[in-house]
Amino acid sequence: MLRYARLFQILRGNSSDACEIRDPCQHGGICISTDSGPICECRNPDYEGEFCEKDKAPSEAVFRGAEFLSYDQTGGGPILSAQDSVTLYFKTRQSNGLLFYTGDGMDYLNVAIKDGCLSLTMGLANGKQEMQIKPNKVRFDDNQWHKVSVHRRIQEISAITSFCRLSAVVDGVYADHSHIAGKFTMLTSSKIHVGGSINTRALPGSRVHNNFVGCMRKVEFVADTLRLNLLELGKSGSDLITTSGQLEYKCPTGETHDPITFTTRESHLILPPWNAKKSGNISFKFRTNEANGLILFNGGVRPPRSDLFAIEIYNGQLYVHLDLGSGSSKQRASRRRVDDGSWHEVTFRRSARDARITVDGYFTDFKTSEGSNSLELDGNLYVGGLGPPFSDTPIPPGLWTAVLQQGFVGCLMDIVMNNEPVDVAGYAREQDSGSIKTLCHTQPLQCPSQPCLNGGVCSEGWNRFVCDCTDTMFTGPTCGKEAATLSFNGSQHMTVTMDNDVITQTEDIILRFRTSKPLGLLLITSTIETGDRIELAVAANRIRLAMRLGVKEKKQEDKEKDKILLAGQNVNDNEWHTVRFSRRGANLKLQLDNQSPLRAETSLKYNTLQWRTIHLGGLYHQAEEINLSTTMPNFIGEIQQFYFNNIPYIELARSSSSEQAIPGFPNIKVVAKFVKRATDNLHRPVTFRSKHTFMGLPMLRAYSSIHIDFMFKTREANGLIMFNGGKKEDYIAVELVDGHIHYVVNVGDGAVHLRDNAKSHLNDNRWHTVGIRRPSVKQHTLMVDDEVTVTTSKSTGNLELDGILYLGGVHKDLYSQLPQEDVKSRHGYEGCMAGLDLNGESPNIMEDAVVHSSLVTAGCEGQSQKCSHNVCANGGICVQQWNSYTCDCEMTSYTGPTCSDESIAYEFGPNRGIITYTFPEDRRPEMQEDTISLGFITTKSDAVLLRIVSGTSNDYIELEIVEGNVFMVYNLGTNDHPLGEISVKVNDNAYHVVRFKRSGSNSTLQVDDYNVQFNYPTGHQLQVFNSQSQIQIGGKWSKGKSRIERPFAGIIAGVVVNGMRILDLAAEKDIHTLIRGDVQLMTGILDRHEQLQKMQQTPPSGFPGVMDDLVFSGAGSGCNNEDDEDECPPLPEVGSGDDDLITPVYVPATRPPATAKPPHTSTQGAGGKPCDDEDCFPGSGSGEITLEETTVTFQGTDATSTLAQFTTDAEGTTFDTSEKTTTAIINVTSAATEASTTTENPSTTVAATQETPKTTYGTRPPTGTRPRERINSETSEIIALVIGIIAGALIAVILIILVILKFKSRSDRSYKVDDGKGYQQGPNTALLGNASATNGQTQYQMNGSLRNGSEKNGQMQKKKRENKDIKEWYV
């Protein structure tokens, strides 16, 4: 047996060594030694396998309307928690359905999808809250995965009031939050439903009647430490879960019948080639209301053959193109128009040369040209179009929609190739997910909203509008941007030269001009090889078109006759005229302005045009290779809006560089001059009024091309203008860095950087234009004003973006996640923006945003002659008067003519203090509206800043800090209305400004220049704050307890309540104000301590009403903090250490010793501090109690805790300003190593003169002083016993008082205090409390974790009675 035991130990030792030497467990797995070797316990639920190396398939289930999961604990106790959260993923096509429900009675949380958006309802203690996340133009019933996160948390702020914060986020972007205030302490859940219930419409808070239909994944419910993976429990057959219906715990991977929507002309998918060499079939369904669009294209790319298969809609009819290498065949397939918005089914079959095309059951048979019988398609199958222009794909001349850059816009579904369904939705998700949506919804008509500006003509597209701007001076998707205009003087021109000759059967030419000359060449095409050409000119005051086709050789061109068309009269009137020419094969159409078009047919046997160069405005040399049929001088005048086959070449010329040739991209040379017009026309300008805000737009559609235009005007040198992240490493960013535009893009192969070439900084408060292009896959251009920067990258990939387009900045938590080396911005853009065009769309930022901001306003707040936006500093509002201006500083916390002077400020020390303003009883206001503003600096995470109470009712307004966030709670007689800013922590020792406005029951709250928070309570609400009687600053005064609850520590400045500057009145010693406790007037916030850095004031702000960040930092700054989480930096030692007054700061036991705080003193003129419960005995003795000032000093970290003297009488608390009171100083000195000892409980507060654990500290008397007497706990007990024996004897009391006075006169003595033991303050702890010190550390927590613990409170009171300190003894 011993031998086997020894062998077992050896084996165990070997296996243990294996775990220690090489831990095989991955992803946080725990290695466990066994006899057979190490095994892994996978702690991360997302991984599994022998070594936790495999991704665990997430739990998921399919719901079809009759299935759901339930968790029911009605028979047992409900789940109780202070916070809970729900996380789930879903995808569906149904617009309504219950996702999740949890509740107990009338306390509930109901999460559903309603009308394609997310709906949440919550009930708690008879309070109800409803929330909808409904982004503009975004739906969640698109059959794509969406993540939903819902979080509830209860925060108790008083014995009778609690907050419940409800927040919800969809896809990490679309978020909302709200609060409920009421009398509740816990969240309860006894029932949980996933995907539906027996009677969904009867569930509390239900806004839908249907169960969920679709897929769900990873449904988790967490309540405090309890975590339930509900789908996993249901799948494993847990007894906790009841399953209704036949749930399938696996969602289908690809659904071939999912529809997709092509939203732009350039959006397209690339699929593998259609294999139909000998025979094959292909079918699909489509719907659209647009008359032209290329649906399918598959070509052969191996010369000399050019096989082709294509299907297009042209002029509302469906056509099929087929070329087996022996000639192209084009067959009309539809018998009626198919652009009616209805679904149409198309099937195409071929075998050798025989083909049949069927549309909606009607078929057409046709044969291809004789010769080849096989279809060689070795190129990719393009679905929806060929993408942006100038692609590498050769375009057949007869495929008119491809030549004219007209991709398909509409819905497509059920593609089947050779009897195999194709998951086009899967391809869309992997490729251009921004422009191709995996759904098919019809939207209302767009043109009734009049989206086309400046006279543009609107036409309806498929869920979109199309603006024709060619009759106007403007261009862009909504005709909102001034069109580029070229001026020609007779010797200037513009040329567009392609890489190779282009052969077409169709052309569309649009050109807008004005001239005063009767003759002039507008446009002519040329080619080196043949004599084909199109010539457009002003001739004899008319428009003359001459066309020559099918000239195979140059020398034969004179033998052919031109086809000539003439239109219009008197076109040399120096007015703008628009010429439109189109050719479809042999059919010609010429139109001038809005006159009737002139139609004709060519009588030639050829119908193809061969060209390579387009000359605009004339020729470089009169004898340049082209012999005009009529001698025509160069054009003198202006030309704009030039489109050739729907490509705007003048706009391209303005945004591109002619210095660098781009393969595949035309070479554009401009000798003419661009006309600059001073116009005040700004297209949809907006103002970003803060660098701490942003707007969210739908994802930028820039998969295969990038086209971004905007204008900006700012005074700020830095800021993030736009950012869109993507899949993997892809992203695009535009920012201002040191007054210059930086453009960064990453398409997967590293970041590409471009910077403008401007000689001066662009933050000059003038408008600047920015244009960003990707003319080819390897080239990127940045144009700022008239300067173009070009760079070439090695990457040829597509830009795969994801999420939303952030405009003006990102969420403050995301700056640290941006590519640090490439994107420099750490805050947003502040200024004006206009003329935003994003790849063919011109969004209305204010209306189309999916994430809104109250700090982004329509229009650009520009300067006026007198009241400019930068006159008033710190966000002051400039008020224009007849011949001058004034600054309204009420909501800034500053004062002075320009809001740049510091307001009156008070510092509230750690030992509690308060400032009150009491209205005279005959002048108590009844307020329908309230405005409150103040500035403050603090490190406290829980405190009351300001409170207004009523003299006749329970109405109140309270501004407070809860867990580091600012909240405003008000009650006008019905119920509490909370309003908070949870995205900004204010206990960071920085200067913050709070602005609050109330109108009736509605209110707004703003912290600094972050977003304005709104509260609009529903239902019947009272509107008037009745009889405002008192304003309290620095805490909440409890009349019954004569104490300050939730005291503030820090600095408060510039308090303005309904126009009254309360702190100014206090400084002027107004009879209605009263200062009590540890409060002192600040002589200047900017230089309040030598060790503190100055608080940064903002100069005159960029925009009215905007507060910039006022940073307040520095070594030792603001260490009068009760936040246990914060530490204070050490201060330089000054003086001997005996006389320095440094308030000790409490630090939890797990932290290093606390360091010192700047000196803190009390203002005697204000009267000292209010009393503690233990120290206030109204009516005892003479009615006054005089306390001593106690100082505790530690070696190594010198600290003193000062308790100001005060007096208490039966009427309340007053303060003794007499200077006769002597001070007893208790110096406690310890070794540096012993000073680091802390208490076991971080919430413990230690009184300096109480009994303490038997922890001794070495002492040494200071030089020049005699040995000090020692006071310990035994002395206290003896004294207490003496008091008990002689309590009835008046002579004993007199003797004791004499002894105390004798002690007080011996100020040079030292007392040893054993201060290692402390106690916890309860809810009844008085205003000042026992001065606590634990090895130089003080905790200023007053409403601790024992607020509701009556048993603990009782023990604490008993402990207090047993440990009377010296103060209580002599009283």
Side-chain angles (χ1 to χ4, degrees):
M1 291 295 293
L2 291 175
R3 186 178 65 178
Y4 289 129
R6 179 63 178 165
L7 181 60
F8 178 77
Q9 290 179 0
I10 293 174
L11 292 174
R12 291 287 296 176
N14 291 339
S15 61
S16 176
D17 291 342
C19 263
E20 294 176 0
I21 296 174
R22 187 185 66 85
D23 186 351
C25 304
Q26 304 177 28
H27 302 110
I30 304 299
C31 185
I32 302 174
S33 299
T34 67
D35 296 343
S36 58
I39 63 173
C40 296
E41 179 183 343
C42 301
R43 296 292 180 88
N44 192 326
D46 294 331
Y47 296 94
E48 61 184 358
E50 182 180 2
F51 303 114
C52 310
E53 77 282 5
K54 299 179 181 178
D55 289 333
K56 187 176 181 180
S59 53
E60 56 187 24
V62 181
F63 297 83
R64 294 183 172 85
E67 299 84 6
F68 58 89
L69 294 176
S70 298
Y71 171 91
D72 195 340
Q73 287 293 314
T74 306
I79 301 172
L80 300 177
S81 61
Q83 60 179 337
D84 61 20
S85 64
V86 179
T87 305
L88 60 88
Y89 296 78
F90 76 92
K91 69 173 182 177
T92 182
R93 291 194 194 91
Q94 295 291 113
S95 57
N96 296 278
L98 177 68
L99 292 172
F100 184 90
Y101 171 87
T102 181
D104 179 53
M106 294 309 294
D107 291 354
Y108 61 86
L109 174 66
N110 192 308
V111 184
I113 182 169
K114 182 177 186 296
D115 298 330
C117 66
L118 193 75
S119 170
L120 292 91
T121 55
M122 181 178 74
L124 202 58
N126 296 322
K128 294 182 179 180
Q129 194 73 27
E130 188 165 354
M131 184 188 302
Q132 272 199 337
I133 298 180
K134 189 176 183 180
N136 189 29
K137 296 184 180 179
V138 175
R139 297 179 65 98
F140 302 133
D141 54 350
D142 55 358
N143 204 38
Q144 296 198 64
W145 284 109
H146 298 282
K147 180 183 180 181
V148 177
S149 298
V150 182
H151 184 240
R152 296 189 296 171
R153 183 180 183 185
I154 288 181
Q155 171 67 34
E156 190 175 359
I157 59 172
S158 70
I160 60 172
T161 303
S162 296
F163 281 151
C164 181
R165 303 183 184 184
L166 172 65
S167 61
V169 184
V170 181
D171 297 336
V173 174
Y174 314 112
D176 199 359
H177 66 270
S178 63
H179 312 85
I180 290 181
K183 299 178 181 180
F184 44 78
T185 57
M186 302 293 285
L187 300 168
T188 58
S189 298
S190 60
K191 289 184 178 180
I192 299 175
H193 297 297
V194 178
S197 68
I198 296 177
N199 189 355
T200 298
R201 70 171 65 193
L203 291 176
S206 180
R207 293 293 180 267
V208 296
H209 300 165
N210 310 67
N211 287 351
F212 176 73
V213 177
C215 283
M216 279 200 211
R217 175 186 293 171
K218 295 179 69 173
V219 181
E220 286 190 346
F221 176 69
V222 179
D224 286 345
T225 58
L226 174 66
R227 181 182 297 270
L228 298 176
N229 189 328
L230 297 167
L231 293 185
E232 193 68 35
L233 291 173
K235 182 179 180 181
S236 62
S238 171
D239 295 336
L240 298 173
I241 301 296
T242 302
T243 303
S244 299
Q246 298 296 321
L247 267 180
E248 296 179 17
Y249 290 97
K250 180 64 177 176
C251 290
T253 54
E255 300 184 27
T256 57
H257 55 276
D258 283 353
I260 59 174
T261 300
F262 297 90
T263 60
T264 68
R265 291 288 192 192
E266 293 185 359
S267 58
H268 66 286
L269 293 177
I270 300 178
L271 275 61
W274 177 36
N275 184 11
K277 187 173 183 179
K278 296 298 182 182
S279 63
N281 62 81
I282 189 168
S283 64
F284 59 90
K285 297 176 183 176
F286 75 94
R287 64 185 300 197
T288 186
N289 62 351
E290 302 202 11
N292 301 284
L294 178 62
I295 299 178
L296 298 177
F297 175 89
N298 204 161
V301 296
R302 287 182 290 187
R305 296 185 55 162
S306 58
D307 292 10
L308 168 69
F309 164 71
I311 295 180
E312 66 175 346
I313 303 174
Y314 173 72
N315 199 23
Q317 302 289 340
L318 196 74
Y319 292 86
V320 60
H321 298 255
L322 193 61
D323 189 344
L324 305 185
S326 54
S328 176
S329 299
K330 179 178 180 180
Q331 179 64 46
R332 175 176 164 179
S334 56
R335 299 188 180 184
R336 57 184 179 86
R337 296 182 70 98
V338 293
D339 57 346
D340 55 2
S342 301
W343 282 105
H344 298 278
E345 186 172 358
V346 179
T347 303
F348 175 75
R349 299 178 183 275
R350 65 161 293 272
S351 178
R353 292 175 52 221
D354 297 320
R356 170 176 289 189
I357 179 75
T358 305
V359 179
D360 298 333
Y362 295 96
F363 63 88
T364 303
D365 294 330
F366 66 97
K367 283 182 176 289
T368 59
S369 301
E370 294 185 0
S372 174
N373 290 329
S374 63
L375 181 62
E376 303 285 347
L377 301 177
D378 47 8
N380 290 319
L381 173 64
Y382 288 81
V383 182
L386 295 177
F390 316 121
S391 65
D392 296 334
T393 305
I395 300 175
L399 193 58
W400 294 351
T401 55
V403 172
L404 298 175
Q405 310 295 325
Q406 294 174 331
F408 173 75
V409 179
C411 297
L412 198 68
M413 66 181 294
D414 292 349
I415 293 185
V416 179
M417 292 195 299
N418 298 337
N419 301 318
E420 291 291 332
V422 179
D423 182 15
V424 289
Y427 281 101
R429 282 186 283 265
E430 292 296 325
Q431 297 183 26
D432 191 0
S433 58
S435 300
I436 305 174
K437 304 298 183 182
T438 55
L439 50 77
C440 183
H441 289 301
T442 57
Q443 296 180 2
L445 297 179
Q446 308 281 307
C447 288
S449 62
Q450 298 180 345
C452 302
L453 308 174
N454 301 308
V457 179
C458 182
S459 60
E460 293 288 348
W462 179 254
N463 292 339
R464 66 175 189 147
F465 60 86
V466 180
C467 292
D468 182 1
C469 314
T470 53
D471 283 328
T472 73
M473 297 279 294
F474 299 88
T475 186
T478 57
C479 310
K481 184 174 63 173
E482 186 179 351
T485 304
L486 284 175
S487 175
F488 299 85
N489 63 6
S491 63
Q492 297 169 327
H493 69 284
M494 166 181 159
T495 59
V496 179
T497 305
M498 312 302 292
D499 280 355
N500 301 294
D501 281 11
V502 179
I503 300 176
T504 57
Q505 291 182 7
T506 179
E507 296 84 37
D508 271 350
I509 299 174
I510 301 175
L511 183 146
R512 197 163 187 258
F513 73 95
R514 70 174 180 181
T515 183
S516 58
K517 304 297 181 180
L519 297 173
L521 178 64
L522 291 172
L523 173 146
I524 192 169
T525 66
S526 69
T527 176
I528 298 176
E529 298 179 359
T530 73
D532 290 4
R533 71 186 185 195
I534 296 176
E535 175 194 332
L536 195 62
V538 176
N541 301 335
R542 304 186 70 185
I543 293 297
R544 177 180 184 275
L545 173 77
M547 171 166 281
R548 186 177 301 168
L549 300 176
V551 181
K552 295 303 180 182
E553 297 180 9
K554 277 286 197 180
K555 60 182 180 181
Q556 298 177 348
E557 62 177 326
D558 293 335
K559 298 180 182 179
E560 302 289 340
K561 292 184 178 180
D562 291 342
K563 182 66 177 181
I564 297 177
L565 298 177
L566 296 174
Q569 297 286 341
N570 300 321
V571 296
N572 61 331
D573 54 2
N574 209 28
E575 298 291 336
W576 284 104
H577 298 280
T578 303
V579 179
R580 294 180 176 86
F581 169 74
S582 65
R583 179 179 76 94
R584 301 294 184 266
N587 297 313
L588 309 179
K589 183 173 75 172
L590 179 66
Q591 184 179 16
L592 178 66
D593 298 329
N594 293 319
Q595 300 176 12
S596 299
L598 180 66
R599 301 179 185 273
E601 291 186 8
T602 60
S603 58
L604 307 174
K605 57 182 178 179
Y606 302 104
N607 62 0
T608 59
L609 171 72
Q610 185 171 343
W611 63 275
R612 185 173 185 180
T613 304
I614 303 172
H615 304 262
L616 190 68
L619 301 174
Y620 186 60
H621 297 294
Q622 290 292 337
E624 181 184 6
E625 292 192 12
I626 301 179
N627 296 318
L628 299 177
S629 54
T630 303
T631 303
M632 193 69 63
N634 285 356
F635 177 76
I636 298 177
E638 295 178 349
I639 297 178
Q640 62 176 213
Q641 304 278 25
F642 170 51
Y643 292 82
F644 194 100
N645 286 347
N646 292 317
I647 298 176
Y649 282 104
I650 295 181
E651 300 292 337
L652 280 181
R654 185 170 65 169
S655 62
S656 62
S657 173
S658 60
E659 298 176 358
Q660 299 185 19
I662 306 173
F665 192 79
N667 184 14
I668 304 176
K669 292 185 178 181
V670 180
V671 181
K673 293 183 178 181
F674 283 99
V675 177
K676 291 184 178 180
R677 287 190 173 85
T679 175
D680 295 330
N681 186 296
L682 295 174
H683 180 40
R684 290 175 174 166
V686 297
T687 303
F688 290 84
R689 302 180 60 175
S690 167
K691 62 184 67 173
H692 298 295
T693 191
F694 66 91
M695 296 284 274
L697 293 175
M699 187 183 81
L700 178 65
R701 302 174 181 180
Y703 180 72
S704 54
S705 66
I706 300 175
H707 183 120
I708 300 173
D709 289 313
F710 65 91
M711 300 172 66
F712 74 95
K713 181 176 77 167
T714 184
R715 291 183 181 273
E716 298 294 326
N718 298 281
L720 184 62
I721 297 177
M722 64 177 63
F723 179 85
N724 204 147
K727 305 171 184 177
K728 300 178 182 178
E729 299 178 353
D730 293 16
Y731 68 89
I732 187 171
V734 183
E735 58 181 341
L736 265 176
V737 179
D738 296 330
H740 290 276
I741 289 290
H742 281 217
Y743 166 56
V744 189
V745 64
N746 190 333
V747 293
D749 295 325
V752 178
H753 299 258
L754 285 91
R755 179 186 181 274
D756 68 72
N757 295 324
K759 298 179 180 179
S760 60
H761 295 290
L762 302 177
N763 56 323
D764 54 3
N765 203 37
R766 297 179 179 177
W767 283 107
H768 299 278
T769 61
V770 178
I772 295 171
R773 301 288 187 273
R774 189 186 184 188
S776 71
V777 292
K778 291 186 177 182
Q779 197 149 32
H780 302 269
T781 66
L782 168 66
M783 181 187 71
V784 177
D785 297 332
D786 294 326
E787 299 293 329
V788 179
T789 306
V790 183
T791 188
T792 302
S793 68
K794 61 183 179 180
S795 175
T796 60
N798 294 307
L799 182 59
E800 299 182 10
L801 299 178
D802 199 5
I804 65 173
L805 172 64
Y806 289 93
L807 207 60
V810 297
H811 191 274
K812 62 186 181 69
D813 295 334
L814 294 181
Y815 285 104
S816 60
Q817 302 178 27
L818 299 179
Q820 300 293 315
E821 297 181 358
D822 302 320
V823 181
K824 307 300 181 184
S825 296
R826 292 301 171 261
H827 59 74
Y829 167 78
E830 182 179 315
C832 294
M833 182 183 294
L836 181 64
D837 285 350
L838 302 172
N839 272 44
E841 291 188 340
S842 184
N844 186 328
I845 297 175
M846 303 303 297
E847 295 181 4
D848 296 339
V850 295
V851 179
H852 294 269
S853 170
S854 60
L855 295 176
V856 180
T857 57
C860 181
E861 299 171 354
Q863 291 182 320
S864 62
Q865 186 175 1
K866 298 175 182 178
C867 199
S868 62
H869 71 275
N870 63 331
V871 166
C872 303
N874 297 303
I877 299 175
C878 185
V879 180
Q880 184 70 57
Q881 297 181 342
W882 176 250
N883 58 359
S884 64
Y885 66 86
T886 60
C887 290
D888 182 359
C889 310
E890 285 193 1
M891 303 299 282
T892 68
S893 84
Y894 284 84
T895 185
T898 60
C899 308
S900 57
D901 299 338
E902 288 184 32
S903 294
I904 296 296
Y906 278 85
E907 182 175 12
F908 293 76
N911 296 314
R912 308 189 189 187
I914 196 169
I915 299 175
T916 58
Y917 177 90
T918 305
F919 292 94
E921 290 193 12
D922 57 341
R923 284 183 291 174
R924 291 178 175 175
E926 309 277 339
M927 299 302 295
Q928 173 87 21
E929 298 178 350
D930 286 298
T931 58
I932 301 170
S933 67
L934 57 85
F936 67 93
I937 303 171
T938 189
T939 52
K940 291 200 64 172
S941 60
D942 187 272
V944 171
L945 288 164
L946 180 143
R947 180 178 172 89
I948 306 176
V949 297
S950 170
T952 59
S953 66
N954 292 325
D955 294 2
Y956 74 92
I957 294 177
E958 185 171 277
L959 178 63
E960 58 192 0
I961 303 174
V962 180
E963 294 186 353
N965 300 122
V966 169
F967 276 83
M968 181 69 84
V969 187
Y970 55 97
N971 191 320
L972 304 179
T974 50
N975 54 287
D976 289 345
H977 302 298
L979 178 61
E981 173 57 88
I982 63 174
S983 64
V984 182
K985 292 290 184 182
V986 296
N987 59 330
D988 55 357
N989 210 36
Y991 191 77
H992 297 281
V993 179
V994 177
R995 306 173 185 85
F996 172 78
K997 294 183 180 180
R998 179 187 68 85
S999 178
S1001 61
N1002 300 326
S1003 62
T1004 63
L1005 175 71
Q1006 184 182 27
V1007 177
D1008 298 331
D1009 55 354
Y1010 291 92
N1011 282 345
V1012 178
Q1013 305 297 320
F1014 301 91
N1015 185 26
Y1016 302 116
T1018 58
H1020 175 69
Q1021 301 290 339
L1022 298 179
Q1023 305 293 312
V1024 178
F1025 190 128
N1026 296 306
S1027 185
Q1028 293 185 355
S1029 63
Q1030 191 177 68
I1031 301 172
Q1032 303 165 6
I1033 301 172
K1036 175 183 177 182
W1037 178 253
S1038 175
K1039 255 188 177 182
K1041 298 178 182 179
S1042 297
R1043 57 167 286 184
I1044 298 175
E1045 296 178 345
R1046 303 178 65 202
F1048 173 83
I1051 296 174
I1052 297 180
V1055 177
V1056 180
V1057 179
N1058 297 328
M1060 290 193 307
R1061 292 185 171 269
I1062 308 300
L1063 298 187
D1064 294 47
L1065 296 175
E1068 297 166 1
K1069 298 183 179 179
D1070 184 273
I1071 60 173
H1072 300 106
T1073 61
L1074 180 62
I1075 303 175
R1076 292 182 280 190
D1078 192 1
V1079 184
Q1080 63 175 344
L1081 178 66
M1082 297 296 298
T1083 57
I1085 303 178
L1086 299 183
D1087 52 357
R1088 64 189 184 100
H1089 285 304
E1090 192 179 56
Q1091 294 89 347
L1092 300 182
Q1093 293 181 4
K1094 288 187 176 182
M1095 181 181 68
Q1096 300 173 5
Q1097 269 187 327
T1098 59
S1101 177
F1103 297 97
V1106 179
M1107 279 296 300
D1108 292 328
D1109 269 351
L1110 304 180
V1111 181
F1112 183 79
S1113 60
S1117 62
C1119 284
N1120 53 347
N1121 175 27
E1122 75 167 60
D1123 189 352
D1124 297 345
E1125 298 295 325
D1126 296 336
E1127 295 186 43
C1128 299
L1131 290 177
E1133 294 185 1
V1134 180
S1136 65
D1138 291 337
D1139 300 326
D1140 297 337
L1141 296 179
I1142 303 178
T1143 304
V1145 178
Y1146 178 80
V1147 174
T1150 56
R1151 297 217 177 222
T1155 55
K1157 171 195 174 295
H1160 174 76
T1161 58
S1162 297
T1163 304
Q1164 293 295 328
K1169 305 181 181 69
C1171 61
D1172 187 284
D1173 284 351
E1174 294 292 329
D1175 305 323
C1176 297
F1177 295 91
S1180 62
S1182 63
E1184 290 186 352
I1185 301 168
T1186 303
L1187 289 188
E1188 301 170 336
E1189 189 176 37
T1190 306
T1191 304
V1192 181
T1193 306
F1194 296 99
Q1195 180 184 358
T1197 55
D1198 295 337
T1200 62
S1201 178
T1202 303
L1203 299 181
Q1205 60 187 20
F1206 66 96
T1207 59
T1208 305
D1209 55 26
E1211 295 295 324
T1213 303
T1214 59
F1215 297 88
D1216 185 7
T1217 58
S1218 172
E1219 299 178 358
K1220 298 178 182 180
T1221 306
T1222 59
T1223 302
I1225 300 177
I1226 302 174
N1227 291 328
V1228 179
T1229 311
S1230 64
T1233 57
E1234 294 169 334
S1236 64
T1237 305
T1238 57
T1239 59
E1240 293 180 1
N1241 191 334
S1243 63
T1244 301
T1245 307
V1246 182
T1249 54
Q1250 284 186 322
E1251 273 193 349
T1252 57
K1254 295 182 179 181
T1255 304
T1256 59
Y1257 296 86
T1259 62
R1260 61 175 179 84
T1263 306
T1265 62
R1266 50 189 168 179
R1268 298 172 182 164
E1269 299 181 11
R1270 180 177 297 175
I1271 296 177
N1272 55 30
S1273 59
E1274 293 180 0
T1275 307
S1276 300
E1277 292 176 1
I1278 294 172
I1279 294 173
L1281 180 60
V1282 172
I1283 293 174
I1285 296 174
I1286 64 174
L1290 179 61
I1291 187 64
V1293 175
I1294 296 173
L1295 290 174
I1296 293 169
I1297 294 174
L1298 292 175
V1299 172
I1300 295 304
L1301 293 176
K1302 184 176 181 180
F1303 280 150
K1304 291 174 65 178
S1305 64
R1306 300 170 64 182
S1307 59
D1308 59 338
R1309 295 186 179 182
S1310 175
Y1311 297 90
K1312 171 74 162 53
V1313 178
D1314 193 1
D1315 57 352
K1317 182 178 180 181
Y1319 72 91
Q1320 291 181 322
Q1321 292 180 337
N1324 297 322
T1325 305
L1327 189 69
L1328 288 176
N1330 295 316
S1332 55
T1334 305
N1335 305 329
Q1337 303 164 356
T1338 301
Q1339 181 198 15
Y1340 303 121
Q1341 183 73 27
M1342 30 142 245
N1343 288 327
S1345 59
L1346 301 180
R1347 184 183 297 118
N1348 296 322
S1350 58
E1351 181 179 350
K1352 293 183 180 179
N1353 290 342
Q1355 295 174 356
M1356 187 166 50
Q1357 296 295 338
K1358 181 178 179 181
K1359 185 176 180 181
K1360 285 187 179 182
R1361 289 192 293 270
E1362 294 175 354
N1363 299 302
K1364 296 288 184 179
D1365 66 11
I1366 186 77
K1367 294 181 291 185
E1368 299 173 17
W1369 172 74
Y1370 74 73
V1371 172

